[in-house]
């Protein structure tokens, strides 16, 4: 890969990881606690709405685009194993793909799908909500930390590469 293209792909991945970490951090630190303070029917309805609205070009573009960039960076970095920053790019990419993207698909999305099937007004809704909030927030925090750590590792990869030049 052309060094300039590798730089911009790594920089873009760094920024994508940072954006995703920030979005997820907001949910763990204040969105979910705020929703948990609402009556269960209102909290459920609000989260169901969020889960529909989040499926938009801007969020998914960054979320999925960063995963795609990570896949490319793994391949490029394996093929240029001895170059400065390669191992850090692999670690950062793997961490984002497993800790953020895969965690979302295997943990948060199934919880969201189950919540979507709940009618907020039913007696069972409050019990479901009381289990959903801590489970969803725990996995969200995992993916927040993974995305943030990925951004840090990508930053270190950029610095390592710059020092080698």
């Amino acid at each position: 890969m052309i060094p300039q293209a590798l730089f911009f792909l790594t920089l873009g991945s760094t920024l994508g990881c940072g954006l995703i970490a920030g979005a997820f951090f907001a949910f763990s630190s204040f969105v979910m606690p705020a929703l948990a303070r609402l009556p269960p029917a209102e909290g459920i309805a609000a989260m169901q709405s969020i889960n529909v609205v989040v499926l938009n070009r801007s969020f998914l573009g960054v979320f999925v685009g960063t995963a795609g960039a990570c896949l490319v960076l793994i391949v490029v970095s394996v093929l240029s194993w001895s170059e400065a920053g390669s191992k850090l790019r692999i670690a950062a990419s793997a961490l984002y793909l497993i800790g953020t993207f895969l965690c979302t698909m295997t943990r948060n999305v199934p919880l969201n799908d189950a919540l979507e099937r709940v009618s907020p007004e039913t007696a069972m809704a409050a019990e479901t909500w009381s289990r959903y909030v801590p489970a969803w927030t725990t996995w969200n925090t995992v993916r927040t930390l993974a995305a943030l750590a990925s951004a840090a590792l990508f930053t270190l990869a950029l610095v390592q590469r710059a020092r080698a030049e």
Side-chain angles (χ1 to χ4, degrees):
M1 177 173 263
I2 302 167
Q4 190 174 16
L6 179 59
F7 169 80
F8 284 114
L9 189 59
T10 305
L11 179 62
S13 296
T14 306
L15 296 173
C17 288
L19 281 169
I20 294 303
F24 291 167
F25 173 78
F27 268 83
S28 286
S29 66
F30 61 85
V31 173
M32 293 308 289
L35 294 180
R37 293 179 59 167
L38 297 173
E42 292 177 27
I44 290 169
M47 192 65 185
Q48 287 172 334
S49 180
I50 289 168
N51 288 335
V52 170
V53 174
V54 75
L55 302 176
N56 64 64
R57 286 185 211 179
S58 60
F59 178 78
L60 288 178
V62 175
F63 182 65
V64 176
T66 300
C70 287
L71 288 171
V72 172
L73 285 170
I74 286 175
V75 171
V76 169
S77 298
V78 166
L79 295 175
S80 60
W81 181 257
S82 61
E83 289 183 18
S86 289
K87 293 163 192 69
L88 287 168
R89 284 192 305 273
I90 291 168
S93 296
L95 189 55
Y96 182 84
L97 289 169
I98 296 166
T100 304
F101 193 82
L102 187 63
C103 181
T104 298
M105 296 299 117
T106 62
R107 301 297 180 197
N108 294 86
V109 169
L111 288 168
N112 292 344
D113 290 345
L115 188 68
E116 183 60 32
R117 294 187 291 271
V118 172
S119 177
E121 298 79 27
T122 64
M124 185 82 156
E127 182 183 328
T128 300
W129 185 241
S130 70
R131 288 189 319 268
Y132 174 90
V133 171
W136 192 95
T137 304
T138 296
W139 288 111
N140 186 66
T141 301
V142 168
R143 60 192 190 154
T144 300
L145 294 172
L148 184 60
S150 295
L153 290 172
F154 277 130
T155 301
L156 292 173
L158 289 168
V159 169
Q160 193 175 74
R161 176 128 177 137
R163 286 184 177 162
E165 291 179 353

